[in-house]
Amino acid sequence: MNWAGLYTVLSGVNRHSTAIGRIWLSVIFIFRIMVLVVAAESVWGDEKSAFTCNTQQPGCNSVCYDHFFPVSHIRLWALQLILVTTPALLVAMHVAYQQHQEKKLLVLTGHADPKHMEEVKKHKMRIAGSLWWTYVCSVVFRLLFEAVFMYIFYLLYPGYQMMRLVKCEAYPCPNTVDCFISRPTEKTIFTVFMLVTSSVCIILNMAELVYLVIRACARRGQHHSNPSGKSSFYGHKHSSEYKQNEINQLLTEQDGSLKDMLRRNSGLQEKGDRCSAC
Amino acid sequence: MDWGTLQAVLGGVNKHSTSIGKIWLTVLFIFRIMILVVAAERVWGDEQQDFVCNTLQPGCRNVCYDHFFPISHIRLWALQLIFVSTPALLVAMHVAYTRHEKKRRFRNGEKIDIEELKNEKIHIRGPLWWTYTSSIFFRIVFEAVFMYVFYYMYDGYQMPRLVKCSAWPCPNTVDCFVSRPTEKTTFTIFMLAVSGICMMLNLAELCYLVIKICMKESRKTT
């Protein structure tokens, strides 16, 4: 499992995202993960071996490096990118659950042929109902993780700038010792770059949140004139009334996409029936 | 996520490009990204380790290296290649959006063949023409900006053998020797030449698109 594996997993989520969500995913993969892998990792590659202190005291080098760099930038970015991309899996799990429900509904209504099952897998889910809440939660978590990591970076490495020289007096270093960091300017440039892309991602997430809320309010305004009640769920498990109720419940829970699909396919089936009659 | 994945992502864009765009993409992948990965990275691999200064003063080498190489050539080329190839994704997004609209019309009842929709080549006209032209324009701008950044940072494109450093904590002025300067100069000039070729291909593509649209407009008016 590496970054390419994560890319494969998240590309599947891409289909059910909004347009802003897709742009966000592209920015994450191209401007953050890819830059991390092809450029930043080689900049920080020799951070410990090229960290030099002006002393011959054994152990002083290691202790000072550990004191000034408790967690390396590269590891923090890797953790940040993993945590920030993971909430999208909530959406993937919810979509998989909805697809399972749709397949169950198809079996109950007698449309359980392979063609319809394939169409369930392929059609894009509308972000409505409970999926809307899951999607909004995933966006909120993304924002939260981004903000938390930016704050951790600021705490650990104040000002986001990499110093050329640090003065260290941790035991066993004798008195105060000058220690020199390798490639500080290049590291500062990449830190600022990753900070800027992180901010761009935060802005995209906020825009997506606002878009989802506005869309939901607009939809609620449209549906205000046509309220749809949920059917109750009574009856024995094996009775036809039970089955019909389950179908009704699944139909009202589903978004418009499955209804459209069934409506279209029942239309085709009617044509087929007509033809078989002649 | 590495160069291979970028190639897979951009390979899809290739289908909707002009012939010049396809040549540009090939040049980018073979003469720039591949050269960077298989050759240039090895040349610059030991750039800091083998940067030697004529002093025993601890820290002087680090500081002098940082002073003369604020950002390594390899990283600048990696960033340049990422920025230059990304505008093509604007075109990919526009094509995906056009296809999505056609699928929506199919779902609403219009008769469109789904299989044909997936394989049809989308012609570069209308709003797609503007997206495509903008992407070429951005490519040209990014190439020019990076070529200027290289020139500004390294005072020309040649790698010196010796640099004289007097940054603290180096005592007085110290001679520092750069590793493999001739090989680095060779590769810098090679990457510069290929960058120039890519820029010319982009300019040619821009002219081709503009001429094509002018001819179409003049045919419509006559």
Side-chain angles (χ1 to χ4, degrees):
Chain A
M1 185 71 189
N2 52 13
W3 294 114
L6 188 70
Y7 177 72
T8 321
V9 168
L10 290 174
S11 300
V13 181
N14 213 7
R15 233 163 8 114
H16 310 287
S17 303
T18 60
I20 304 177
R22 288 180 199 169
I23 295 171
W24 170 83
L25 209 70
S26 304
V27 169
I28 284 263
F29 276 109
I30 297 178
F31 291 100
R32 292 175 78 179
I33 295 180
M34 193 161 168
V35 168
L36 183 80
V37 169
V38 311
E41 276 184 357
S42 45
V43 176
W44 268 266
D46 60 358
E47 54 177 332
K48 185 152 191 265
S49 53
F51 181 79
T52 322
C53 291
N54 187 4
T55 178
Q56 295 211 334
Q57 171 66 44
C60 179
N61 230 335
S62 300
V63 163
C64 291
Y65 176 80
D66 186 62
H67 178 80
F68 287 100
F69 302 103
V71 183
S72 170
H73 287 63
I74 293 285
R75 259 70 69 187
L76 274 177
W77 283 324
L79 280 174
Q80 181 180 16
L81 289 165
I82 291 171
L83 284 173
V84 155
T85 45
T86 318
L89 295 177
L90 284 175
V91 177
M93 284 192 263
H94 194 137
V95 164
Y97 170 74
Q98 275 194 339
Q99 281 174 343
H100 173 76
Q101 294 287 92
E102 283 181 6
K103 280 186 182 163
K104 218 167 70 163
L105 180 62
L106 284 176
V107 167
L108 283 173
T109 54
H111 288 96
D113 52 285
K115 184 180 148 215
H116 290 136
M117 293 296 186
E118 270 308 301
E119 221 184 302
V120 165
K121 268 193 217 164
K122 286 188 188 161
H123 88 265
K124 181 187 152 154
M125 292 279 171
R126 262 190 14 218
I127 303 172
S130 49
L131 183 59
W132 184 90
W133 286 101
T134 310
Y135 198 91
V136 164
C137 285
S138 78
V139 175
V140 166
F141 277 121
R142 277 186 224 161
L143 273 169
L144 205 69
F145 287 138
E146 292 272 21
V148 162
F149 271 92
M150 278 173 83
Y151 179 66
I152 289 174
F153 257 105
Y154 185 76
L155 267 183
L156 283 177
Y157 304 109
Y160 301 113
Q161 196 191 10
M162 186 66 81
M163 308 303 292
R164 249 185 203 183
L165 159 76
V166 288
K167 290 186 184 288
C168 175
E169 1 175 86
Y171 175 82
C173 303
N175 310 306
T176 304
V177 149
D178 291 335
C179 293
F180 300 90
I181 291 164
S182 111
R183 311 181 209 250
T185 313
E186 205 166 358
K187 285 177 180 174
T188 307
I189 291 172
F190 275 96
T191 306
V192 170
F193 181 87
M194 294 297 262
L195 182 72
V196 165
T197 47
S198 191
S199 314
V200 166
C201 287
I202 287 179
I203 292 171
L204 284 169
N205 282 330
M206 287 201 279
E208 198 176 5
L209 208 57
V210 166
Y211 166 74
L212 284 167
V213 168
I214 289 175
R215 208 169 79 166
C217 292
R219 220 179 261 161
R220 192 161 282 190
Q222 267 180 340
H223 285 170
H224 209 64
S225 45
N226 307 321
S228 64
K230 276 198 173 168
S231 55
S232 52
F233 198 56
Y234 297 115
H236 194 266
K237 256 201 171 167
H238 301 293
S239 76
S240 56
E241 284 165 346
Y242 177 95
K243 270 196 186 157
Q244 188 54 53
N245 281 335
E246 207 179 76
I247 293 171
N248 290 341
Q249 178 145 8
L250 283 169
L251 272 173
T252 51
E253 276 172 4
Q254 291 300 323
D255 61 14
S257 47
L258 178 62
K259 286 184 202 162
D260 288 339
M261 189 175 86
L262 283 175
R263 210 181 301 133
R264 231 188 312 127
N265 289 334
S266 62
L268 288 170
Q269 204 170 34
E270 279 167 18
K271 271 195 209 157
D273 286 345
R274 243 184 276 136
C275 283
S276 63
C278 32
Chain B
M1 187 74 192
D2 58 358
W3 296 115
T5 323
L6 187 72
Q7 186 180 14
V9 168
L10 290 175
V13 181
N14 212 7
K15 254 200 298 170
H16 311 289
S17 303
T18 60
S19 326
I20 305 177
K22 288 176 191 172
I23 296 171
W24 171 83
L25 209 69
T26 312
V27 168
L28 187 83
F29 278 111
I30 297 180
F31 292 99
R32 293 175 81 179
I33 295 179
M34 194 167 164
I35 295 284
L36 184 80
V37 169
V38 310
E41 278 184 356
R42 305 258 168 91
V43 176
W44 269 265
D46 59 1
E47 54 177 332
Q48 203 188 346
Q49 266 168 299
D50 282 359
F51 182 78
V52 172
C53 290
N54 186 5
T55 179
L56 287 178
Q57 171 66 44
C60 177
R61 196 170 66 101
N62 281 12
V63 164
C64 291
Y65 177 81
D66 184 63
H67 178 78
F68 285 98
F69 301 104
I71 176 163
S72 169
H73 287 64
I74 292 284
R75 257 74 67 183
L76 269 178
W77 282 323
L79 283 175
Q80 180 180 15
L81 290 167
I82 290 171
F83 275 95
V84 154
S85 35
T86 314
L89 295 177
L90 285 175
V91 177
M93 283 193 256
H94 192 135
V95 165
Y97 171 74
T98 316
R99 282 223 176 104
H100 173 76
E101 286 293 296
K102 284 195 179 160
K103 274 188 193 162
R104 209 161 60 109
R105 280 192 279 147
F106 171 76
R107 254 208 269 153
N108 292 341
E110 271 186 54
K111 288 193 175 83
I112 299 172
D113 186 15
I114 281 276
E115 279 309 308
E116 197 194 287
L117 191 69
K118 275 188 205 164
N119 298 329
E120 82 171 301
K121 183 188 152 145
I122 300 204
H123 293 287
I124 302 172
R125 43 175 175 247
L128 184 60
W129 184 91
W130 286 102
T131 309
Y132 198 87
T133 315
S134 311
S135 78
I136 297 177
F137 177 73
F138 278 120
R139 275 187 225 164
I140 296 173
V141 165
F142 288 140
E143 290 273 20
V145 162
F146 273 94
M147 279 168 84
Y148 177 70
V149 163
F150 258 105
Y151 185 80
Y152 179 75
M153 246 184 218
Y154 297 107
D155 284 328
Y157 297 106
Q158 198 188 10
M159 185 67 78
R161 255 183 201 178
L162 159 74
V163 288
K164 289 188 184 287
C165 175
S166 47
W168 187 90
C170 304
N172 309 306
T173 304
V174 149
D175 289 338
C176 293
F177 300 89
V178 178
S179 111
R180 310 181 208 247
T182 313
E183 204 168 359
K184 286 178 181 174
T185 308
T186 309
F187 274 96
T188 306
I189 292 176
F190 179 87
M191 294 295 264
L192 181 73
V194 181
S195 191
I197 291 172
C198 284
M199 239 167 111
M200 283 197 293
L201 283 169
N202 284 330
L203 285 167
E205 199 176 2
L206 204 59
C207 293
Y208 167 73
L209 285 168
V210 169
I211 289 170
K212 205 167 88 160
I213 208 85
C214 291
M215 279 175 56
K216 227 175 247 169
E217 292 294 307
S218 66
R219 244 184 274 155
K220 270 190 199 162
T221 50
T222 54

